[in-house]
Amino acid sequence: MTRCRLFAASALLAVSSLASAELTPEQAERAVETRQSVLHLMGWNIGPLGAMARGRMDFDVDRVQTNAGRLVALANMLPDAFAPDTRANEVSTEALDVIWEQPEAFAAKIQATIDASNRLVEAAAGGDENAMREAIGGLGSTCGSCHDDFRADD
Ligand code: HEC
């Protein structure tokens, strides 16, 4: 019992010191790689949908449904993916410091993308092209809106 409690206490200590400690270079590299991977996959999944919305590709409802579901899952990973604060580390990133300086504003941008991807799932379930086009455009603008404020220009 005593040993168990001691273990719990030290585990708690480890967690709280982890939260405040700076990331090691390896942790920071991995954190950047992880969040960029999530965003890369978001780009990969919205790419064909953007082409459909712009009339460069025929609408394929199955594809829209599949990718919309993936985008919901990926958008829901963003809070965890951006949890590690890499401001103090030398990393190659386009993430601006303001992400961790204004966490509420950043969380609101994530929520807008989650909401817009859920709306796309609904539109895709209906299968109406105009509704899908509108929902794809709506989702795309939430990406751009976050990039405007929180991502360095290329
Ligand atoms: C809450 C803010 C936010 C939202 C929402 C967001 N992004 Fe980003 N995005 C970023 C930031 C910040 C970076 C830079 C990440 C880095 O370099 O560490 C980025 C980078 C990217 C990258 C480059 C990834 C790489 O390989 O380096 C792509 C592609 C991308 N975003 C696509 C999207 C798409 C598509 C959406 C919407 C479906 C989206 N993003 C929504 C903030 C966001």
Side-chain angles (χ1 to χ4, degrees):
M1 190 63 178
T2 314
R3 193 196 275 189
C4 191
R5 213 177 285 148
L6 200 70
F7 179 76
S10 60
L12 209 75
L13 202 72
V15 168
S16 59
S17 60
L18 198 74
S20 56
E22 274 181 25
L23 301 173
T24 66
E26 292 73 25
Q27 288 171 327
E29 291 287 345
R30 219 173 307 135
V32 171
E33 208 176 292
T34 300
R35 70 187 181 224
Q36 289 179 344
S37 301
V38 173
L39 291 156
H40 178 82
L41 288 177
M42 288 176 73
W44 180 59
N45 279 287
I46 206 173
L49 309 191
M52 289 177 208
R54 289 191 195 92
R56 294 196 195 130
M57 198 189 270
D58 287 342
F59 259 98
D60 174 349
V61 180
D62 286 347
R63 172 54 58 197
V64 180
Q65 286 176 351
T66 298
N67 289 21
R70 291 174 180 169
L71 283 158
V72 170
L74 290 161
N76 275 290
M77 293 179 201
L78 290 175
D80 287 344
F82 276 95
D85 177 351
T86 54
R87 275 177 295 178
N89 296 87
E90 282 292 327
V91 283
S92 173
T93 181
E94 291 173 3
L96 298 176
D97 286 358
V98 68
I99 291 170
W100 297 280
E101 290 161 4
Q102 294 178 16
E104 281 162 25
F106 189 69
K109 298 287 187 190
I110 293 178
Q111 193 56 49
T113 296
I114 292 172
D115 292 346
S117 49
N118 278 315
R119 279 195 292 276
L120 179 57
V121 167
E122 283 167 29
D128 177 72
E129 277 191 22
N130 283 329
M132 288 189 283
R133 188 176 295 113
E134 203 173 302
I136 292 164
L139 174 56
S141 67
T142 69
C143 313
S145 165
C146 187
H147 292 168
D148 285 348
D149 294 349
F150 295 101
R151 181 184 180 187
D153 292 332
D154 291 326

